[in-house]
Amino acid sequence: MSGLHPKRPFPEAAREQVNNPQLRANLRKVTNTIRDKRLKAVGELPHWEELRVLGAATKDASLANLGDRLLELEASVTARGGHVHWARDAAEAREIVARIAQAHQVTELIKVKSITSDEIELNKALTAHGIHAVETDLAELIVQLSDDTPSHILVPAIHRNRAEIQALFNAQLGEPEPLTDEPAVLAGAARRYLRQKFLTTKMAVSGVNFAVADTGTVCVVESEGNGRMCVTLPEVLVSIMGIEKVLATWEDIAVFMELLPRSSTAERMNPYTSFWSGVTPGDGPQEFHLILLDNGRTDVLADEVGRQTLRCIRCSACLNVCPVYERAGGHAYGSVYPGPIGAILTPQLLDMQDTNANTLPGASSLCGACYDACPVRINIPQVLIYLRGEANDHKGLTLETVAMQAMRYAMSEGWRFEGAVKLARAGQGPLIRDGQITALPGLLGGWTQSRDLGAFPAQSFREWWRRRDAEGREQRAEGTEEQP
């Protein structure tokens, strides 16, 4: 069980989302707004490109010595009274959280936004143990109350508008008076609901944005302050961290405190940044557990091309500039990691073994906007192309590979190519509608389900060039060629 396995191939899943006009309108409005604000925030820094280069280099340096960094982090956390657990996969991570909750007789816990916990499908597993997890991030709460799944890394409820949230809160939160759709009113209702949870729940689960190996410090970055409540009020705090989040020193965090806020929420400084190191007697949680999650990450690290994916700081800038994501939405990806970063991260975490996940690298126009926006310079188009090749290798011999091999054979010699063009021109007649081929027959029909093909012209370029060349020779022979 994992939140990484898409249930359907991307093209099939995306088709339904594209046909939803309300979803497309919601996505377009929010992504355009965030994108414009980000451009202004980034434009304020003349050294932005230098920061990107430094951020990429800092992450690469930590990844190059990941084993040592993690052991150092474990020693530092333990020295400060914390407990460190190593989880090879999602099942082990879920079991660790459940075991800690049961040891404290917890039947309800609170969570601060953690996409890593969604990756391992923690909430579902806790429910099976009789433990209810309450999402405290506002957008995550909206998703939870509507029995939905997130569609964006930064704004999980991006596909919902105010009217939909108003109806949901009126139905779920038990307010004495009907709520209006004013943002302040809706936020106030959520605040009243969550405040009671903060004051009565003794265990919390958080994600981790960064961890510092030499001090054992863990960092959570968020915009609402609900995360601050989660990591300070409960008696027991469990933080789930992907192993790639570790950095060597405090100095390393500084660059990301500039890169992350501007890239994600287009803010100059993050509103709520929480740091803690182990346990402080009499202040904050008195029991701290850090779960170091692998779940396929070491396999990604071993790949020379794909390992740059682990630089990702989950800012979601690539989603907000992606033309495919803007039209299809996060649910079409079928994974907790949507958009361009999800298209390269999800199949790699699954070691290219999931047939549906392997369709995700095809969910891109390769326009390069994601690479330009990425604050740590992940060359997403490069990895997409690389993974498309990997996915084809895993397919073995298919109709598509046979067709591509046939094309390679035809195009390897000029006379073969010309012959193929003539055959195609002769056979296309019954398929042409208004100058386009809109439906190919048989197994080839999948190609035209979402695209039209232009009809082959009456004259190819090679034929035109030969005719032009012949006419030129005739004119020269007759002395009638026009002078320039």
Side-chain angles (χ1 to χ4, degrees):
M1 182 169 65
S2 171
L4 293 170
H5 293 272
K7 295 180 176 62
R8 293 182 295 168
F10 178 84
E12 179 185 327
R15 199 168 292 119
E16 294 179 5
Q17 306 301 314
V18 171
N19 290 331
N20 184 334
Q22 184 61 64
L23 173 69
R24 293 203 314 273
N26 295 348
L27 288 169
R28 184 168 55 252
K29 179 178 180 181
V30 179
T31 55
N32 287 353
T33 299
I34 297 174
R35 183 165 63 238
D36 292 343
K37 288 176 62 180
R38 177 192 167 275
L39 285 174
K40 293 177 182 177
V42 166
E44 295 175 352
L45 296 182
H47 57 288
W48 178 252
E49 289 306 313
E50 288 80 0
L51 275 173
R52 292 180 70 209
V53 171
L54 181 57
T58 302
K59 288 290 288 186
D60 284 348
S62 183
L63 292 171
N65 298 283
L66 186 59
D68 293 339
R69 293 289 82 75
L70 291 171
L71 290 174
E72 184 180 6
L73 175 65
E74 178 185 34
S76 298
V77 170
T78 303
R80 288 162 174 77
H83 307 273
V84 176
H85 310 264
W86 299 76
R88 287 171 294 186
D89 53 27
E92 283 194 1
R94 293 192 297 263
E95 185 58 34
I96 292 167
V97 178
R99 189 167 65 243
I100 295 169
Q102 290 170 334
H104 292 274
Q105 300 181 327
V106 167
T107 57
E108 184 174 81
L109 57 81
I110 53 178
K111 289 176 60 190
V112 56
K113 181 177 178 181
S114 169
I115 197 168
T116 310
S117 70
D118 293 335
E119 175 187 327
I120 65 174
E121 293 192 335
L122 178 63
N123 290 8
K124 186 186 298 185
L126 290 177
T127 299
H129 285 280
I131 303 164
H132 177 55
V134 179
E135 300 288 352
T136 64
D137 175 86
L138 178 56
E140 290 279 6
L141 177 64
I142 292 167
V143 169
Q144 184 179 41
L145 292 177
S146 56
D147 196 25
D148 200 354
T149 54
S151 64
H152 193 276
I153 291 176
L154 177 68
V155 194
I158 193 174
H159 55 294
R160 301 285 188 179
N161 59 26
R162 284 192 294 173
E164 293 172 307
I165 297 169
Q166 174 196 14
L168 175 68
F169 280 10
N170 277 325
Q172 295 284 341
L173 295 189
E175 288 286 312
E177 298 292 334
L179 303 170
T180 69
D181 68 351
E182 289 296 316
V185 172
L186 297 174
R191 186 178 297 113
R192 288 188 290 274
Y193 171 79
L194 291 174
R195 188 56 56 91
Q196 184 62 25
K197 301 295 182 182
F198 290 140
L199 295 174
T200 59
T201 307
K202 69 177 184 178
M203 178 172 168
V205 173
S206 84
V208 176
N209 287 97
F210 307 102
V212 181
D214 67 351
T215 63
T217 302
V218 178
C219 171
V220 163
V221 177
E222 40 104 18
S223 297
E224 299 172 2
N226 292 337
R228 179 70 56 82
M229 305 285 255
C230 283
V231 301
T232 57
L233 292 178
E235 299 172 15
V236 181
L237 173 61
V238 179
S239 298
I240 306 173
M241 181 189 109
I243 55 176
E244 78 279 15
K245 301 293 184 66
V246 65
L247 300 172
T249 68
W250 263 100
E251 288 76 10
D252 292 338
I253 278 192
V255 64
F256 299 107
M257 289 299 103
E258 287 204 68
L259 287 171
L260 181 55
R262 291 176 189 267
S263 297
S264 56
T265 54
E267 294 169 297
R268 297 180 183 91
M269 186 172 70
N270 188 65
Y272 294 93
T273 305
S274 301
F275 297 97
W276 65 96
S277 302
V279 173
T280 302
D283 184 17
Q286 296 302 289
E287 187 171 317
F288 171 58
H289 298 263
L290 177 63
I291 300 175
L292 301 177
L293 177 68
D294 187 335
N295 207 32
R297 286 162 173 80
T298 52
D299 293 331
V300 181
L301 184 65
D303 191 293
E304 185 176 346
V305 177
R307 70 169 65 116
Q308 60 183 297
T309 309
L310 297 179
R311 293 180 197 158
C312 178
I313 57 174
R314 308 293 191 265
C315 69
S316 74
C318 62
L319 280 69
N320 299 325
V321 299
C322 178
V324 175
Y325 176 85
E326 183 182 305
R327 288 158 180 80
H331 290 146
Y333 293 80
S335 167
V336 296
Y337 299 111
I341 189 63
I344 63 173
L345 179 60
T346 299
Q348 288 190 88
L349 289 178
L350 296 172
D351 197 25
M352 303 300 293
Q353 298 302 313
D354 187 290
T355 303
N356 292 338
N358 289 354
T359 67
L360 294 179
S364 171
S365 64
L366 299 179
C367 65
C370 50
Y371 182 27
D372 292 339
C374 178
V376 288
R377 293 175 55 84
I378 302 171
N379 193 338
I380 295 177
Q382 178 194 41
V383 183
L384 286 168
I385 294 171
Y386 169 71
L387 293 179
R388 289 179 186 185
E390 292 285 296
N392 285 333
D393 290 344
H394 278 74
K395 287 179 183 177
L397 191 64
T398 65
L399 176 63
E400 183 180 9
T401 57
V402 170
M404 291 301 172
Q405 289 171 1
M407 288 180 65
R408 181 176 62 179
Y409 176 77
M411 292 181 174
S412 63
E413 294 287 348
W415 63 270
R416 291 178 193 157
F417 181 69
E418 284 195 70
V421 170
K422 289 177 181 178
L423 286 174
R425 185 191 301 150
Q428 70 178 344
L431 304 175
I432 298 176
R433 299 289 185 273
D434 298 325
Q436 300 285 322
I437 299 175
T438 58
L440 288 171
L443 295 174
L444 297 176
W447 182 261
T448 51
Q449 282 184 346
S450 57
R451 59 177 71 81
D452 294 335
L453 296 176
F456 285 88
Q459 185 180 50
S460 72
F461 174 81
R462 287 170 176 263
E463 291 167 339
W464 171 83
W465 184 266
R466 274 199 299 267
R467 180 181 61 78
R468 176 183 179 278
D469 189 47
E471 291 175 352
R473 285 196 301 270
E474 289 176 5
Q475 290 174 353
R476 287 191 295 273
E478 298 172 0
T480 59
E481 185 176 22
E482 296 182 6
Q483 298 298 316

